[in-house]
Amino acid sequence: MLHHGLGEFEHFVLLSTLRLGEDVYGVPIAEEIMERTGRTVSRTAVYVTIRRLEKKGLITSWMGDPTPERGGKVRRYIKLAPAGLEALRESRIAIDEMWSGVPIPEAQ
């Protein structure tokens, strides 16, 4: 049973993190969501969602080393926590169950 009540954008951030692998950060996540959904995504929305997912225990994050190309700024990296992977798995099972046997109507 789904315990985390993931919203659509939270799903997108978690799935992008899963697709992109470990040591990923906000900009590639935003780009992945835009590329796959065709939606405009603000980096701020991604970072706010990352913080919320971390509070839920679904991702972990850490600060990387300062880089010269970022003017000495550090980057916050994230990875999926085991609970995040489980939440995605449970969510997919629930959605698949809801779609089971439902015909997809033709577009009008």
Side-chain angles (χ1 to χ4, degrees):
M1 172 147 318
L2 186 62
H3 301 288
H4 299 287
L6 294 175
E8 181 183 53
F9 198 71
E10 290 175 325
H11 270 103
F12 290 166
V13 170
L14 289 174
L15 286 167
S16 295
T17 303
L18 182 61
R19 281 184 170 282
L20 295 169
E22 299 208 357
D23 300 349
V24 69
Y25 57 98
V27 173
I29 291 171
E31 291 170 350
E32 178 77 8
I33 294 169
M34 287 189 284
E35 181 179 311
R36 294 196 172 273
T37 67
R39 296 181 185 184
T40 301
V41 175
S42 77
R43 284 187 254 171
T44 301
V46 171
Y47 289 115
V48 167
T49 302
I50 286 170
R51 282 194 292 277
R52 188 169 55 249
L53 291 169
E54 190 166 27
K55 285 180 184 175
K56 290 181 176 185
L58 303 180
I59 61 168
T60 58
S61 74
W62 65 96
M63 300 307 285
D65 294 327
T67 58
E69 63 268 17
R70 290 180 41 86
K73 290 184 181 178
V74 295
R75 184 176 279 151
R76 178 173 297 279
Y77 290 95
I78 68 168
K79 71 176 183 176
L80 215 51
L85 188 55
E86 181 65 14
L88 282 174
R89 190 188 71 72
E90 290 174 356
S91 176
R92 182 166 187 174
I93 289 168
I95 289 169
D96 288 347
E97 283 295 319
M98 290 300 297
W99 272 106
S100 180
V102 175
I104 299 175
E106 294 292 321
Q108 305 262 341

